[in-house]
């Protein structure tokens, strides 16, 4: 084995050139590298021991590593199309990194190099112009571990904390430049390559960085915020609740009122069973704050929290966690303070029988813009879990210490996700399956060892740790299980009670009493006058956004113009990018709402940025059109609900707020009064009062008449609230079933029901197939298809096809099979709708032939329809129809595999027709024959 001594060259020009770019992109790493070189020098003396296959490199890392000779192989090449984001684990010795860069595709967005050895990076930057090797527009970043110096080793505990902080800062800097700048979504399509020799020698270092990277990606992807649809749903529900936000009871009344009191925050994790009963006797000495999920369990056991918080915007939160509890435990709930996020479904707040208040999420642009900026309402850090909201509220109320129970953030025994007696068995099974599918992350346990968590819980865990760190309120983890929450003191709940709670005197006043005594805003006019100008400013901002979008549209036409010089085309495209940045910069909330559209298109836009061909120009134009269409839609939605909020706040200056839910009879009385107002007369009053009524009561649970539910559902549909209208129409349909009703009214109801079922609503995907079935019933009763039914059926089929495309993307192979089947079936239905029976028969036969083995149950019903429909048309005179039937019978006769896989009973006549075409297997028959109709 030959041993050679190596040193870096005397010239420092390469180093200085690289450092100039590194200081621009990664200034923190540049400081660390310069400090390293100042201490160790520029020579990098090391040995390279030659072997027939390569060299062992010694002296540049804690232990030697092997670098093979010959051309290195990477997991990418110039033709790689799947990604524009790349990770390289290990940079070896020069020219390995240079060759890795040169192998990248020309449209590379980013190469992130992971190297645990600082010396190897410094050595490479002395020898290779790595930044110059990158394609124009591509970014090169480095993710390293800091050097463990003697000063860090002198005080191990402090040194470990400092190392952790430095490592985190370097990671955030590298990924902000190399990943976040192009949209976090791009990491999901990244390609990774590894230096085999370094991976063998430094597996632990690589594993540590890879684990941190994975956690970073999981948390960023999970906390990107809500989709555009989620955010718009939140805005709509904020607008609906805006009078109660502006004029209702304010959480400021309770600030610091419980200073010096310990707080117990109750979550619904599986370990709650260990200490749940200890809550029973401490409610007069400490403040108990419950998550919405655990409220029902507490009420059933006669343990009342002082405060319950709710954060999620979906209607399912009301249906699962509040509806039954409010009905069964109205008196108990009247003694509990409800703190609701402004985005929550209005029915939770409206039906709550006790004191209640609304806050916004301080960290979200939507809440900053609408809640804080326009309404001047209360906001607080709320995180992404109601447990985070509980913590923030406890701090706001003056907690002297905080105890967490049921805060597992990890799988419990037997894979349990929650404590018992919280969800139905079906819901528990769903949550367990979901946790298993998104799990696989192992973190330190509070009681030692490692526990399994999910990507969402991991994000919750890190956020909670940041709250514990940032608020600096002494926090005990008394869960007695689950994940370790760094920064908390792990102790049994019994010990916490003995030390922090038992010695205290009982509280003189409860949180609900404090809020109740504070009352509503007394001078609503003064409050309204103070925020009127904020609405004017918001509308002006929307007007400016529309002007920028119009300018972008004009420039896009120039980009797509035929015969334009490439340089001019790129110049115009760059202007479009700058205007999009300006659009988002002027309105952070608007940027937040539309982020998913921009991120999802970022990779494709990068691939077309050179605009070097007609195909690239067309793709560039299509992507930007899609983005602008989304922006226009969002802009119109914001303008509409902003106008609603403005008008309803004006209305309630002169009218009383409905703060406590009236009983069912009072609700119906109000409804009938509103129905008596003539159309067009006092229309704002009708709309605003109906919205308040639907927040304050639940007509479905109150068993209102089918006709009233029908009316209310159509009102909700006019407001764009199809998801809320759906259960009303379902209940009305159930009530109408079996009752005599004029045919014309039945047809009208079925048309409206199909319209509700097939209308999209933000986060809600319509059940198109059910809508199609309902409309088919209307066709049958109507004696045929009229123009209204035809238009609605066309709309349903369009929506159904789009929905199944989405399902295929989301649910993998199973989703693809289901999607393809229903797409084929929907195409057949469209052909029938258009009166082309021959085409419909061919499409249905193709669906059976292509998907019958994967989905035999569904295929059976369609084969049955196909057989009966063809038999009715055996004597058809239409040439195309007759030819189609003949072709299908010929194919079907030769497909004994399908006939045996999908067993049905056929008529003697149909089997006879198959035998004439060569059928040689026995099939079951029914006795009666179907007559043939042309």
């Amino acid at each position: 084995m030959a041993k050679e001594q190596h040193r870096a060259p005397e010239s420092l020009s390469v180093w200085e050139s690289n450092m100039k770019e590194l200081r621009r992109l990664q200034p923190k790493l540049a400081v660390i590298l310069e400090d390293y070189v100042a201490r160790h020098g520029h020579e990098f003396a090391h040995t390279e021991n030659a072997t027939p296959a390569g060299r062992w490199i010694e002296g540049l890392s804690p232990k030697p590593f092997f670098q093979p000779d010959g051309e290195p192989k990477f997991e990418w090449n110039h033709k790689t199309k799947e990604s524009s984001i790349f990770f390289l684990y290990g940079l070896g010795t020069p020219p390995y990194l240079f060759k890795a860069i040169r192998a990248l595709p020309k449209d590379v967005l980013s190469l992130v190099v992971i190297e645990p050895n600082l010396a190897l990076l410094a050595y490479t930057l002395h020898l290779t112009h790595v930044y110059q090797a990158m394609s124009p527009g591509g970014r090169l970043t480095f993710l390293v571990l800091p050097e463990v110096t003697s000063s860090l080793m002198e005080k191990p505990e402090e040194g470990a904390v400092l190392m952790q902080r430095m490592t985190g800062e370097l990671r955030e800097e590298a990924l902000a430049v190399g990943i976040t700048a192009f949209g976090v979504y791009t990491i999901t399509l990244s390609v990774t390559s590894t230096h085999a020799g370094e991976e063998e020698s430094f597996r632990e270092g690589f594993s540590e960085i890879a684990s941190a990277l994975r956690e970073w990606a999981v948390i960023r992807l999970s906390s990107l915020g809500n989709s555009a649809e989620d955010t718009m749903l939140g805005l709509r529900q904020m607008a609906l609740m805006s009078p109660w936000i502006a004029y209702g009871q304010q959480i400021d009344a309770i600030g610091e009122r419980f200073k010096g009191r310990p707080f117990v925050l109750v979550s619904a994790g599986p370990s709650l069973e260990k200490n749940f009963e200890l809550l029973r006797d401490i409610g007069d000495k400490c403040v108990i704050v419950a998550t919405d999920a655990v409220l029902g369990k507490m009420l059933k056991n006669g343990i009342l929290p002082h405060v319950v918080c709710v954060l999620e915007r979906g209607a399912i939160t009301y249906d699962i966690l509040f509806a039954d509890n409010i009905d069964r435990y109205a008196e108990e709930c009247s003694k509990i303070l409800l703190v609701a996020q402004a985005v929550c479904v209005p029915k939770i707040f409206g039906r709550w029988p006790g004191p209640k208040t609304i806050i916004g999420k301080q960290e979200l642009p939507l809440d900053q813009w609408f809640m804080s900026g326009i309404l001047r309402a209360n906001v607080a850090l709320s995180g992404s879990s109601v447990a985070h909201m509980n913590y923030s509220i406890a701090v706001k109320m003056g907690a002297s210490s905080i105890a967490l129970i049921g805060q597992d953030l990890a799988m419990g025994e037997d894979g349990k996700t929650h404590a018992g007696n919280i969800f139905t068995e079906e819901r528990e099974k769903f949550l367990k399956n979901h946790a298993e599918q998104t799990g696989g992350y192992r973190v330190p346990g509070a009681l030692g060892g490692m526990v399994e968590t999910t990507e969402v819980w991991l994000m919750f865990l890190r956020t909670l740790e940041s709250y514990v760190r940032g608020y600096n309120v002494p926090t005990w983890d008394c869960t007695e299980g689950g994940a370790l929450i760094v920064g908390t003191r792990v102790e049994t709940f019994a010990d916490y009670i003995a030390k922090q709670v038992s010695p205290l005197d009982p509280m003189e006043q409860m949180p609900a009493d404090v809020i109740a005594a504070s009352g509503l805003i007394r001078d609503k006019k003064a409050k309204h006058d103070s925020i009127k100008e904020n609405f004017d400013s918001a509308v002006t901002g929307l007007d400016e956004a529309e002007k920028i979008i119009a300018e972008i549209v004009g420039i896009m036409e120039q980009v797509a113009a035929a015969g334009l010089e490439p340089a001019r085309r790129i110049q115009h495209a760059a202007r479009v990018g700058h205007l999009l940045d300006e659009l988002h910069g002027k309105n952070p909330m608007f940027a937040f709402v539309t982020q998913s559209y921009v991120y999802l298109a970022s990779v494709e836009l990068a691939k077309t940025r050179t605009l070097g061909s007609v195909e690239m120009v067309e793709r560039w134009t299509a992507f930007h059109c899609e983005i602008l269409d989304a922006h226009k839609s969002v802009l119109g939605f914001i303008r509409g609900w902003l106008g609603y909020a403005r008008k309803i706040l004006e209305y309630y200056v002169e009218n009383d707020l409905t703060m406590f839910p009236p009983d069912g009879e009072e609700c119906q009385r109000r409804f009938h009064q509103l129905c008596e107002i003539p159309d067009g007369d006092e229309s704002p009053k009708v709309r605003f009062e109906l919205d308040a009524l639907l927040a304050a009561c639940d007509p479905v649970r109150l068993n209102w008449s089918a006709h009233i539910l029908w009316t209310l559902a159509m009102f909700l549909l006019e407001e764009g609230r199809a998801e809320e209208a759906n259960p009303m129409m379902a209940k009305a349909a159930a009530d109408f079933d079996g009752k005599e009703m004029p045919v014309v009214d039945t047809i009208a109801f079925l048309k409206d029901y199909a319209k509700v079922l097939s209308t999209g609503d933000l986060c809600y995907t319509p059940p198109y197939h059910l809508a199609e079935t309902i409309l088919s019933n209307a066709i049958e009763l109507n004696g045929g298809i009229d123009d209204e039914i035809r238009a609605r059926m066309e709309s349903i089929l369009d929506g159904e096809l789009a929905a199944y495309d989405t399902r295929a993307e989301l649910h993998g192979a199973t989703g693809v099979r289901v999607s393809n089947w229903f797409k084929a079936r929907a195409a057949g239905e469209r052909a029938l709708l258009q009166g082309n029976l021959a085409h419909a028969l061919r499409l249905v036969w193709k669906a059976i032939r292509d998907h019958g083995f994967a989905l035999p149950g569904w295929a059976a019903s369609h084969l049955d329809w196909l057989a009966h429909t063809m038999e009715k048309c055996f004597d058809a005179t239409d040439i195309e129809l007759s030819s189609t039937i003949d072709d299908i019978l010929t194919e079907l006769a030769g497909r004994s595999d399908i006939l045996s896989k999908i067993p049905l009973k056929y008529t003697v006549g149909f089997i006879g027709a198959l035998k004439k075409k060569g059928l040689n297997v026995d099939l079951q028959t029914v006795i009666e024959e179907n007559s043939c109709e042309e």
Side-chain angles (χ1 to χ4, degrees):
M1 179 183 291
K3 181 179 290 189
E4 301 174 358
Q5 297 291 329
H6 287 262
R7 294 175 183 272
E10 293 294 328
S11 173
L12 301 180
S13 60
V14 176
W15 165 256
E16 288 300 333
S17 174
N18 284 327
M19 288 305 295
K20 181 179 179 181
E21 188 67 7
L22 186 66
R23 292 185 197 105
R24 184 179 73 84
L25 293 173
Q26 295 178 261
K28 292 178 181 178
L29 176 58
V31 169
I32 287 176
L33 267 178
E34 288 172 332
D35 178 63
Y36 176 87
V37 171
R39 285 184 285 106
H40 295 281
H42 294 275
E43 293 189 345
F44 301 99
H46 65 281
T47 60
E48 297 186 6
N49 301 324
T51 74
R55 295 163 293 147
W56 281 94
I57 312 298
E58 187 173 357
L60 292 174
S61 53
K63 56 183 179 179
F65 67 92
F66 187 74
Q67 178 136 329
D69 286 339
E71 287 298 313
K73 295 188 181 297
F74 304 99
E75 296 299 320
W76 56 74
N77 56 51
H78 292 303
K79 296 181 180 180
T80 300
K81 296 181 179 180
E82 293 78 14
S83 178
S84 293
I85 302 291
F86 302 88
F87 287 89
L88 177 65
Y89 278 78
L91 49 75
T93 57
Y96 182 83
L97 177 58
F98 185 87
K99 292 181 176 180
I101 295 171
R102 285 305 192 189
L104 291 166
K106 290 182 179 180
D107 61 4
V108 57
L109 281 176
S110 176
L111 173 64
V112 180
V113 179
I114 291 116
E115 177 52 67
N117 303 296
L118 202 61
L120 277 173
L121 175 57
Y123 181 55
T124 297
L125 295 183
H126 275 78
L127 295 176
T128 307
H129 283 288
V130 291
Y131 290 105
Q132 294 179 18
M134 287 292 291
S135 297
R139 291 188 182 180
L140 174 65
T141 55
F142 300 96
L143 206 167
V144 302
L145 296 177
E147 183 187 25
V148 180
T149 62
S150 56
S151 59
L152 290 174
M153 296 175 66
E154 289 175 0
K155 296 180 179 180
E157 291 187 4
E158 293 180 11
V161 173
L162 183 58
M163 271 292 288
Q164 186 180 33
R165 183 182 303 160
M166 291 169 60
T167 301
E169 290 176 352
L170 291 176
R171 181 172 61 248
E172 290 296 325
E173 180 182 67
L175 297 177
V177 175
I179 302 298
T180 310
F182 305 106
V184 181
Y185 285 116
T186 57
I187 200 172
T188 63
L189 300 173
S190 59
V191 176
T192 297
S193 191
T194 304
H195 186 292
E198 280 204 57
E199 200 275 336
E200 181 69 26
S201 294
F202 313 125
R203 183 168 289 132
E204 185 176 343
F206 281 147
S207 178
E208 180 182 338
I209 296 177
S211 177
L213 251 178
R214 185 185 186 198
E215 181 174 312
W216 180 91
V218 165
I219 290 174
R220 292 303 181 285
L221 288 168
S222 299
S223 62
L224 266 176
N226 309 293
S227 67
E229 293 78 12
D230 280 329
T231 307
M232 290 190 288
L233 177 60
L235 174 61
R236 183 171 80 192
Q237 292 178 172
M238 282 183 185
L240 289 166
M241 296 305 293
S242 56
W244 291 266
I245 295 170
Y247 307 141
Q249 296 160 323
Q250 306 294 306
I251 199 169
D252 284 349
I254 209 168
E256 299 291 310
R257 289 293 295 268
F258 293 86
K259 194 169 185 177
R261 285 284 171 182
F263 277 59
V264 177
L265 310 187
V266 188
S267 296
S271 294
L272 182 62
E273 306 291 3
K274 297 179 180 180
N275 44 39
F276 179 70
E277 284 298 321
L278 296 179
L279 291 167
R280 193 174 297 280
D281 299 321
I282 62 173
D284 61 341
K285 294 185 178 182
C286 65
V287 179
I288 301 174
V289 185
T291 64
D292 47 8
V294 84
L295 172 66
K297 181 179 179 71
M298 297 185 74
L299 291 171
K300 291 169 190 171
N301 286 274
I303 302 173
L304 302 189
H306 301 104
V307 182
V308 61
C309 293
V310 56
L311 176 121
E312 297 294 341
R313 69 201 67 206
I316 192 172
T317 302
Y318 166 76
D319 294 333
I320 292 179
L321 303 179
F322 283 92
D324 281 341
N325 288 324
I326 290 172
D327 286 342
R328 295 180 183 180
Y329 304 103
E331 184 178 349
E332 290 84 350
C333 290
S334 69
K335 302 170 185 176
I336 301 170
L337 168 63
L338 173 73
V339 182
Q341 280 291 333
V343 299
C344 290
V345 60
K347 215 176 285 294
I348 294 175
F349 182 86
R351 290 202 64 210
W352 189 256
K356 48 198 171 184
T357 186
I358 301 175
I359 64 169
K361 293 183 73 169
Q362 181 177 320
E363 58 268 61
L364 288 188
L366 169 62
D367 299 57
Q368 293 167 8
W369 176 73
F370 188 77
M371 290 287 291
S372 184
I374 296 177
L375 298 185
R376 296 285 185 253
N378 291 292
V379 294
L381 286 175
S382 302
S384 48
S385 159
V386 69
H388 303 146
M389 183 179 172
N390 283 0
Y391 197 98
S392 182
I393 293 299
V395 174
K396 193 175 186 70
M397 291 172 65
S400 60
S401 67
I402 294 174
L404 308 174
I405 66 171
Q407 192 61 66
D408 290 67
L409 296 173
M411 303 285 279
E413 296 178 3
D414 300 324
K416 289 182 179 178
T417 61
H418 292 79
N421 205 22
I422 289 178
F423 297 115
T424 63
E425 185 177 340
E426 182 180 1
R427 182 69 177 170
E428 284 179 354
K429 184 178 180 181
F430 169 81
L431 293 170
K432 183 177 179 180
N433 289 339
H434 181 72
E436 289 172 351
Q437 292 169 7
T438 59
Y441 302 86
R442 295 183 65 77
V443 295
L447 303 181
M450 303 293 286
V451 294
E452 186 170 332
T453 189
T454 69
E455 56 188 43
V456 173
W457 288 342
L458 181 59
M459 177 183 67
F460 291 171
L461 174 63
R462 298 299 180 235
T463 303
L464 187 56
E465 288 174 341
S466 73
Y467 277 37
V468 172
R469 201 165 50 241
Y471 280 120
N472 201 29
V473 175
T475 303
W476 277 257
D477 182 0
C478 302
T479 292
E480 301 179 40
L484 174 67
I485 303 169
V486 176
T488 62
R489 310 174 194 183
V490 179
E491 190 173 57
T492 67
F493 191 34
D495 286 345
Y496 176 82
I497 292 171
K499 297 173 186 176
Q500 305 293 326
V501 180
S502 296
L504 301 177
D505 294 328
M507 295 184 291
E508 295 180 359
Q509 200 173 23
M510 300 300 170
D513 300 328
V514 175
I515 289 290
S518 69
L520 308 179
I521 295 292
R522 291 180 176 81
D523 192 342
K524 291 187 288 185
K525 186 177 186 307
K527 172 69 176 180
H528 180 258
D529 290 343
S530 71
I531 61 177
K532 278 195 300 186
E533 290 185 1
N534 299 337
F535 278 96
D536 294 335
S537 297
V539 171
T540 299
L542 298 180
D543 292 340
E544 292 176 355
E546 282 189 343
K547 290 178 182 177
I548 293 174
I549 289 175
E551 186 177 354
I552 291 173
V553 171
I555 298 174
M556 283 175 58
E557 292 175 356
Q558 293 177 303
V559 173
L564 190 67
E565 296 179 5
R568 291 285 292 165
R569 202 184 302 278
I570 292 174
Q571 186 179 9
H572 289 319
R575 176 61 180 158
V576 168
H578 291 316
L579 285 172
L580 279 172
D581 289 342
E582 181 183 347
L583 176 64
H584 295 153
K586 286 186 174 182
N587 194 327
M589 188 280 296
F590 191 56
F592 179 76
V593 174
T594 57
Q595 65 177 318
S596 59
Y597 296 112
V598 177
Y599 282 168
L600 286 170
S602 59
V603 173
E604 288 296 334
L605 291 175
K607 289 182 179 294
T608 60
R609 63 175 180 260
T610 62
L611 299 174
S613 66
V614 173
E615 181 189 2
M616 279 190 178
V617 173
E618 290 176 348
R619 287 176 61 185
W620 182 94
T621 303
F623 292 138
H624 277 84
C625 285
E626 183 178 345
I627 290 173
L628 285 187
D629 286 345
H631 281 55
K632 291 175 186 176
S633 176
V634 168
L635 194 61
F637 186 92
I638 293 172
R639 189 183 290 279
W641 283 102
L642 183 67
Y644 174 95
R646 186 176 200 162
K647 291 177 182 177
I648 197 171
L649 286 170
E650 292 173 356
Y651 175 79
Y652 277 106
V653 167
E654 304 296 335
N655 294 274
D656 293 333
L657 291 171
T658 303
M659 285 302 299
F660 293 97
D663 59 32
E665 290 184 5
E666 173 63 13
C667 282
Q668 286 212 49
R669 186 185 65 80
R670 291 189 186 186
F671 169 76
H672 288 301
Q673 285 179 339
L674 292 170
C675 289
E676 292 172 1
I677 298 175
D679 289 344
D681 188 19
E682 296 186 87
S683 56
K685 171 183 173 65
V686 174
R687 181 180 183 185
F688 298 150
E689 291 288 348
L690 273 178
D691 284 333
L693 183 70
L694 290 172
C697 68
D698 188 335
V700 172
R701 296 180 71 87
L702 289 170
N703 288 312
W704 284 14
S705 75
H707 282 92
I708 293 179
L709 293 174
W710 181 4
T711 301
L712 289 173
M714 300 315 292
F715 163 74
L716 287 171
L717 193 66
E718 287 181 12
E719 285 199 316
R721 299 161 67 183
E723 183 178 10
E724 295 173 70
N726 198 334
M728 292 188 180
M729 291 299 279
K731 179 66 165 58
D735 289 350
F736 281 141
D737 189 35
K739 296 179 181 177
E740 288 191 9
M741 186 174 175
V743 173
V744 65
D745 291 346
T746 303
I747 294 172
F749 174 77
L750 291 174
K751 287 180 178 179
D752 282 349
Y753 193 8
K755 185 177 181 182
V756 169
L757 285 170
S758 61
T759 301
D761 180 9
L762 299 175
C763 305
Y764 164 76
T765 300
Y768 290 108
H769 188 52
L770 178 57
E772 190 180 328
T773 301
I774 296 297
L775 202 57
S776 297
N777 293 336
I779 293 172
E780 185 176 345
L781 279 175
N782 195 52
I785 299 177
D786 59 28
D787 290 342
E788 182 184 358
I789 291 176
R790 185 180 300 279
R792 175 54 50 188
M793 187 66 84
E794 288 279 2
S795 175
I796 290 171
L797 292 171
D798 287 342
E800 190 171 9
L801 288 168
Y804 286 119
D805 280 338
T806 302
R807 177 179 292 184
E809 293 173 5
L810 293 177
H811 299 292
T814 301
V816 169
R817 288 197 300 270
V818 173
S819 171
N820 287 340
W821 169 261
F822 276 100
K823 285 170 65 178
R825 190 203 58 75
E829 290 285 353
R830 184 186 295 280
L832 276 179
L833 184 67
Q834 294 170 346
N836 193 338
L837 179 57
H839 188 46
L841 291 171
R842 289 187 183 276
L843 288 169
V844 171
W845 168 235
K846 184 178 186 303
I848 296 167
R849 190 181 60 216
D850 293 347
H851 311 298
F853 289 107
L855 302 163
W858 287 338
S861 64
H862 285 67
L863 182 55
D864 182 64
W865 175 86
L866 185 73
H868 282 79
T869 304
M870 287 196 300
E871 186 176 2
K872 289 179 182 179
C873 303
F874 278 169
D875 298 326
T877 57
D878 181 87
I879 296 175
E880 182 184 3
L881 180 57
S882 178
S883 174
T884 296
I885 293 171
D886 189 66
D887 290 344
I888 294 174
L889 284 171
T890 300
E891 289 186 44
L892 189 57
R895 293 299 302 268
S896 58
D897 55 341
I898 290 180
L899 294 172
S900 59
K901 179 72 175 180
I902 311 173
L904 293 173
K905 290 185 177 181
Y906 303 94
T907 65
V908 173
F910 187 77
I911 292 176
L914 287 176
K915 286 183 176 180
K916 288 180 181 179
K917 297 295 183 180
L919 178 70
N920 57 6
V921 296
D922 291 330
L923 298 178
Q924 281 188 302
T925 64
V926 292
I927 296 174
E928 64 274 14
E929 295 249 7
N930 286 338
S931 61
C932 297
E933 298 174 10
E934 186 171 329

